[in-house]
């Protein structure tokens, strides 16, 4: 009969260790989903700049006719 309480105690210890490790990993990795800042103070823009004269290539966008999709080839 003394074997059963020891098994229960072992299960509780393993559960406590798993919870502690999971909490530590969560705390350590909580900010890893954010984008990193560029190194060296360089400017970063997620959207590329538009080429000169793009308004004439996409007249629907400049006339305010609602949403439009315009492909501009620069090379």
């Amino acid at each position: 009969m003394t074997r059963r309480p020891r098994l229960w105690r072992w299960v509780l210890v393993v559960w406590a260790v798993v919870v502690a490790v999971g909490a530590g990993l969560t705390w350590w990795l909580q900010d890893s989903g954010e984008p990193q800042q560029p190194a060296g103070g360089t400017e970063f823009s997620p959207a590329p700049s538009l080429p000169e004269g793009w308004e004439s290539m996409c007249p629907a966008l400049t006339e305010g006719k609602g949403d439009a999709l315009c492909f501009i080839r620069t090379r």
Side-chain angles (χ1 to χ4, degrees), residues 2-64:
T2 61
R3 188 164 178 86
R4 195 169 198 115
R6 288 183 186 170
L7 178 65
W8 180 247
R9 199 174 302 148
W10 175 251
V11 169
L12 281 177
V13 167
V14 169
W15 177 80
V17 168
V18 168
V19 168
V21 169
L25 285 173
T26 301
W27 181 59
W28 183 51
L29 296 172
Q30 71 183 0
D31 295 329
S32 65
E34 296 177 7
Q36 296 179 353
Q37 297 296 327
T42 58
E43 294 292 323
F44 174 75
S45 174
S49 60
L50 294 172
E52 294 292 325
W54 70 270
E55 295 91 351
S56 63
M57 296 179 206
C58 300
L61 292 176
T62 56
E63 294 172 4

Side-chain angles (χ1 to χ4, degrees), residues 9 22-23 47 69 74:
R9 199 174 302 148
L69 180 62
T74 58

